[in-house]
Amino acid sequence: MYLDEDSPGAFALFVNWLYRSIIEPGHSRSYLHKLADLYIFLDKICLTPLKDTVMNIIQDMALKFKLDDTILFPVLEKMARCAAPYKGLTKFCLYAVVDSFVENHGREIEDRTRVSVRKEDTEMMWKLC
């Protein structure tokens, strides 16, 4: 069932879920990427209820740890490279990134000539939108 392009970390989370019926919440950036890889893997094997659980864990992490655009952009890039459209996670990350942009860059800036968004981030947003 494990495919070469699937993440070993994601598969380890899946096997742990098979034995213990739980996906432990985490708090690191690498754990977030494992969850995104698990989400992709679960979509491939059509295990939608568990995929929804993973999505909930990612959303809880985003809320609890205030994940911003610098952390979520790599997940968005990963989702953009996937062959199938993983709409749930992609849409959530896109909304979270836009919310982060507004939160971080939408404030009054004394020096209005300063650009605070990286060019490559803006280009990725254009591609995704």
Side-chain angles (χ1 to χ4, degrees), residues 42-121:
L42 294 171
D43 191 70
K44 287 179 186 176
I45 63 171
C46 300
L47 197 54
T48 304
L50 184 57
K51 189 174 87 167
D52 292 343
T53 300
V54 170
M55 185 70 219
N56 290 340
I57 293 170
I58 292 171
Q59 289 173 335
D60 291 344
M61 282 180 72
L63 182 62
K64 184 176 181 180
F65 300 110
K66 299 190 185 297
L67 301 182
D68 63 2
D69 53 303
T70 59
I71 295 171
L72 292 173
F73 245 99
V75 176
L76 267 174
E77 290 174 333
K78 181 181 293 194
M79 300 310 289
R81 287 191 306 265
C82 292
Y86 301 102
K87 293 180 182 174
L89 183 56
T90 302
K91 283 177 72 173
F92 169 74
C93 288
L94 183 60
Y95 293 152
V97 166
V98 169
D99 182 63
S100 176
F101 278 174
V102 170
E103 177 70 24
N104 294 333
H105 309 296
R107 298 187 194 109
E108 289 293 320
I109 300 173
E110 292 176 17
D111 178 13
R112 293 190 182 267
T113 61
R114 189 182 77 166
V115 177
S116 58
V117 180
R118 295 181 316 165
K119 182 178 184 237
E120 54 268 16
D121 292 344

Side-chain angles (χ1 to χ4, degrees), residues 4 15 17 21 23 25 40 62 66 72 97 112 119 123:
D4 287 340
V15 171
W17 174 81
S21 299
I23 296 177
I40 293 166
K66 299 190 185 297
L72 292 173
V97 166
R112 293 190 182 267
K119 182 178 184 237
E123 289 171 355

